[in-house]
Amino acid sequence: MDIVALLSDPAAWIALITLVVLEIVLGIDNLVFIAILSNKLPANQQTKARRIGLALALIMRICLLMLIGWIVTLQTPLFDLGITGEVGEHGTPSFETAFSGRDLILLAGGLFLLWKATKEIHHNMDPDDHSGEMLDKKKGVAQITFGAAIAQIIALDLVFSIDSILTAVGMTDHVPIMVTAVVITVGIMLIAADPLAKFIEKNPTLVMLALAFLVMIGLVLIADGFGFHVPKGYVYAAMGFSVAVEMLNMVKRNRRKAEAEAVA
């Protein structure tokens, strides 16, 4: 189907809109990670790091779309440890150890997120502990710090990009629709990246909440790598509820602060 035919096909527009919404939802965790990581950099490098990170995510996803045939083969099992969980009501095991290339990438990404989020939580709880945190602003090695940030963003971009592209492949067979959806999604993420990062930085309690989200996402990636699929709707509902509760706490703190200033 050529571009003109796609533009005149209502089903193609519906697929595009649906895919953009899904890609935005799937990109939230990627955006949170970039926001937290970039906030660890010196102020004059933060916006640059976010833009480079998202630009690399766009390039990576478009390159992967050009290799759809190879991406699909990532779902073919490479080896099997022969361990499976109980068969559920749908006739499929609760988990399995037949690992495909995608499973291994998800496992690596999940473990990396757990390691990074746990390290950052420890650093937030004990900021005076200088136990080798590469992105510690107090170290003062801006060039190495910036390079380390970009390297970690690239690593997670790869994990999130593969999951994103596999979702796109499941939604439509038309590569132009997939590419358009990816470009629109990353464009929206570019617009949202700076406000999100600044909002997180101005509200320290949100940093811990965001790091907790990364721990949860890491666990979900690891579970997915073992064939235990956690419905994403549950994950995002939990994240949304947590954010709503934290917003109420923020409103309460701001009111108390305003009252205290009025009395003073």
Side-chain angles (χ1 to χ4, degrees), residues 71-80 96-107 166 224-225:
I71 291 294
V72 172
T73 63
L74 286 178
Q75 300 183 81
T76 304
L78 299 175
F79 61 91
D80 190 350
E96 58 187 0
T97 55
F99 296 104
S100 64
R102 172 183 176 272
D103 294 332
L104 295 178
I105 291 172
L106 290 178
L107 285 171
L166 288 173
D224 204 358

Short mmCIF file of all heavy atoms in Angstrom, two decimals, residues 71-80 96-107 166 224-225:
data_model
loop_
_atom_site.label_atom_id
_atom_site.label_comp_id
_atom_site.label_asym_id
_atom_site.label_seq_id
_atom_site.Cartn_x
_atom_site.Cartn_y
_atom_site.Cartn_z
N ILE A 71 14.08 -8.18 14.14
CA ILE A 71 13.45 -7.94 15.44
C ILE A 71 12.48 -9.06 15.78
O ILE A 71 12.42 -9.55 16.92
CB ILE A 71 12.72 -6.58 15.44
CG1 ILE A 71 13.73 -5.44 15.39
CG2 ILE A 71 11.84 -6.44 16.68
CD1 ILE A 71 14.60 -5.33 16.61
N VAL A 72 11.69 -9.48 14.79
CA VAL A 72 10.70 -10.55 15.03
C VAL A 72 11.40 -11.84 15.42
O VAL A 72 10.91 -12.61 16.26
CB VAL A 72 9.82 -10.75 13.78
CG1 VAL A 72 8.93 -11.98 13.95
CG2 VAL A 72 8.95 -9.52 13.54
N THR A 73 12.58 -12.11 14.84
CA THR A 73 13.30 -13.34 15.17
C THR A 73 13.80 -13.33 16.61
O THR A 73 14.14 -14.39 17.15
CB THR A 73 14.51 -13.55 14.23
OG1 THR A 73 15.46 -12.49 14.41
CG2 THR A 73 14.07 -13.59 12.78
N LEU A 74 13.85 -12.15 17.23
CA LEU A 74 14.29 -12.08 18.62
C LEU A 74 13.33 -12.80 19.56
O LEU A 74 13.65 -13.06 20.71
CB LEU A 74 14.42 -10.62 19.07
CG LEU A 74 15.61 -9.83 18.53
CD1 LEU A 74 15.55 -8.39 19.01
CD2 LEU A 74 16.93 -10.47 18.93
N GLN A 75 12.12 -13.10 19.07
CA GLN A 75 11.14 -13.79 19.89
C GLN A 75 11.26 -15.31 19.78
O GLN A 75 10.54 -16.04 20.45
CB GLN A 75 9.73 -13.34 19.50
CG GLN A 75 9.53 -11.84 19.68
CD GLN A 75 8.12 -11.39 19.36
OE1 GLN A 75 7.21 -11.51 20.17
NE2 GLN A 75 7.93 -10.85 18.17
N THR A 76 12.18 -15.78 18.92
CA THR A 76 12.42 -17.22 18.78
C THR A 76 13.35 -17.70 19.90
O THR A 76 14.43 -17.13 20.10
CB THR A 76 13.08 -17.53 17.43
OG1 THR A 76 12.25 -17.02 16.38
CG2 THR A 76 13.27 -19.03 17.25
N PRO A 77 12.96 -18.72 20.67
CA PRO A 77 13.81 -19.21 21.78
C PRO A 77 15.20 -19.62 21.32
O PRO A 77 15.35 -20.30 20.30
CB PRO A 77 13.02 -20.42 22.32
CG PRO A 77 11.60 -20.14 21.94
CD PRO A 77 11.67 -19.44 20.60
N LEU A 78 16.20 -19.20 22.08
CA LEU A 78 17.59 -19.56 21.79
C LEU A 78 18.01 -20.79 22.57
O LEU A 78 18.77 -21.63 22.08
CB LEU A 78 18.51 -18.39 22.13
CG LEU A 78 18.28 -17.08 21.37
CD1 LEU A 78 19.19 -15.98 21.90
CD2 LEU A 78 18.52 -17.29 19.88
N PHE A 79 17.53 -20.90 23.81
CA PHE A 79 17.82 -22.08 24.64
C PHE A 79 16.73 -22.22 25.68
O PHE A 79 16.00 -21.27 25.98
CB PHE A 79 19.21 -21.97 25.30
CG PHE A 79 19.36 -20.79 26.21
CD1 PHE A 79 19.06 -20.88 27.56
CD2 PHE A 79 19.82 -19.58 25.71
CE1 PHE A 79 19.21 -19.80 28.41
CE2 PHE A 79 19.98 -18.47 26.55
CZ PHE A 79 19.67 -18.60 27.90
N ASP A 80 16.61 -23.40 26.24
CA ASP A 80 15.55 -23.69 27.21
C ASP A 80 16.13 -24.45 28.39
O ASP A 80 16.79 -25.48 28.21
CB ASP A 80 14.44 -24.52 26.53
CG ASP A 80 13.20 -24.65 27.40
OD1 ASP A 80 13.26 -24.27 28.59
OD2 ASP A 80 12.17 -25.14 26.89
N GLU A 96 8.24 -19.45 32.19
CA GLU A 96 9.02 -20.46 31.48
C GLU A 96 10.47 -20.00 31.38
O GLU A 96 10.76 -18.83 31.61
CB GLU A 96 8.44 -20.68 30.08
CG GLU A 96 8.38 -19.43 29.23
CD GLU A 96 7.64 -19.65 27.92
OE1 GLU A 96 7.20 -20.78 27.68
OE2 GLU A 96 7.54 -18.67 27.15
N THR A 97 11.34 -20.92 31.03
CA THR A 97 12.76 -20.58 30.92
C THR A 97 13.29 -20.88 29.52
O THR A 97 14.45 -21.22 29.35
CB THR A 97 13.58 -21.36 31.97
OG1 THR A 97 13.32 -22.77 31.83
CG2 THR A 97 13.24 -20.90 33.37
N ALA A 98 12.41 -20.74 28.52
CA ALA A 98 12.84 -20.81 27.13
C ALA A 98 13.17 -19.39 26.71
O ALA A 98 12.27 -18.60 26.38
CB ALA A 98 11.74 -21.40 26.26
N PHE A 99 14.44 -19.02 26.75
CA PHE A 99 14.84 -17.63 26.58
C PHE A 99 15.11 -17.30 25.12
O PHE A 99 15.89 -17.97 24.44
CB PHE A 99 16.08 -17.33 27.41
CG PHE A 99 15.85 -17.45 28.89
CD1 PHE A 99 16.31 -18.55 29.61
CD2 PHE A 99 15.15 -16.47 29.57
CE1 PHE A 99 16.09 -18.67 30.96
CE2 PHE A 99 14.92 -16.57 30.94
CZ PHE A 99 15.39 -17.67 31.64
N SER A 100 14.48 -16.22 24.66
CA SER A 100 14.74 -15.69 23.33
C SER A 100 15.69 -14.50 23.45
O SER A 100 16.04 -14.08 24.57
CB SER A 100 13.43 -15.23 22.67
OG SER A 100 12.86 -14.16 23.42
N GLY A 101 16.10 -13.94 22.31
CA GLY A 101 16.95 -12.76 22.35
C GLY A 101 16.27 -11.60 23.06
O GLY A 101 16.90 -10.87 23.83
N ARG A 102 14.97 -11.42 22.82
CA ARG A 102 14.21 -10.36 23.48
C ARG A 102 14.20 -10.58 24.99
O ARG A 102 14.37 -9.63 25.77
CB ARG A 102 12.78 -10.34 22.95
CG ARG A 102 11.84 -9.41 23.71
CD ARG A 102 10.42 -9.50 23.16
NE ARG A 102 9.49 -8.67 23.95
CZ ARG A 102 8.86 -9.08 25.03
NH1 ARG A 102 9.05 -10.34 25.47
NH2 ARG A 102 8.02 -8.28 25.68
N ASP A 103 14.01 -11.84 25.42
CA ASP A 103 13.98 -12.14 26.86
C ASP A 103 15.30 -11.77 27.52
O ASP A 103 15.33 -11.19 28.62
CB ASP A 103 13.69 -13.62 27.10
CG ASP A 103 12.30 -14.02 26.64
OD1 ASP A 103 11.42 -13.16 26.65
OD2 ASP A 103 12.11 -15.19 26.26
N LEU A 104 16.41 -12.10 26.86
CA LEU A 104 17.73 -11.81 27.43
C LEU A 104 17.96 -10.30 27.54
O LEU A 104 18.54 -9.81 28.52
CB LEU A 104 18.82 -12.45 26.58
CG LEU A 104 18.82 -13.99 26.54
CD1 LEU A 104 19.91 -14.50 25.61
CD2 LEU A 104 19.00 -14.57 27.94
N ILE A 105 17.49 -9.56 26.52
CA ILE A 105 17.62 -8.10 26.56
C ILE A 105 16.78 -7.51 27.69
O ILE A 105 17.22 -6.62 28.42
CB ILE A 105 17.22 -7.49 25.20
CG1 ILE A 105 18.26 -7.87 24.14
CG2 ILE A 105 17.10 -5.98 25.29
CD1 ILE A 105 17.87 -7.48 22.73
N LEU A 106 15.56 -8.04 27.86
CA LEU A 106 14.69 -7.56 28.93
C LEU A 106 15.30 -7.88 30.30
O LEU A 106 15.23 -7.04 31.22
CB LEU A 106 13.30 -8.19 28.82
CG LEU A 106 12.43 -7.74 27.65
CD1 LEU A 106 11.10 -8.49 27.65
CD2 LEU A 106 12.18 -6.23 27.71
N LEU A 107 15.87 -9.08 30.45
CA LEU A 107 16.51 -9.44 31.72
C LEU A 107 17.67 -8.51 32.03
O LEU A 107 17.82 -8.03 33.16
CB LEU A 107 16.99 -10.89 31.65
CG LEU A 107 15.91 -11.98 31.77
CD1 LEU A 107 16.51 -13.36 31.48
CD2 LEU A 107 15.29 -11.96 33.16
N LEU A 166 8.33 -3.93 19.07
CA LEU A 166 7.54 -5.17 19.06
C LEU A 166 6.06 -4.86 19.25
O LEU A 166 5.19 -5.52 18.66
CB LEU A 166 8.03 -6.13 20.14
CG LEU A 166 9.39 -6.79 19.85
CD1 LEU A 166 9.86 -7.59 21.06
CD2 LEU A 166 9.31 -7.69 18.63
N ASP A 224 8.97 -10.33 32.78
CA ASP A 224 8.63 -10.52 31.37
C ASP A 224 9.68 -11.39 30.68
O ASP A 224 9.36 -12.21 29.82
CB ASP A 224 8.54 -9.15 30.68
CG ASP A 224 7.65 -9.20 29.43
OD1 ASP A 224 7.16 -10.29 29.09
OD2 ASP A 224 7.46 -8.15 28.80
N GLY A 225 10.94 -11.21 31.07
CA GLY A 225 12.00 -12.03 30.49
C GLY A 225 11.85 -13.50 30.82
O GLY A 225 12.26 -14.37 30.06
#
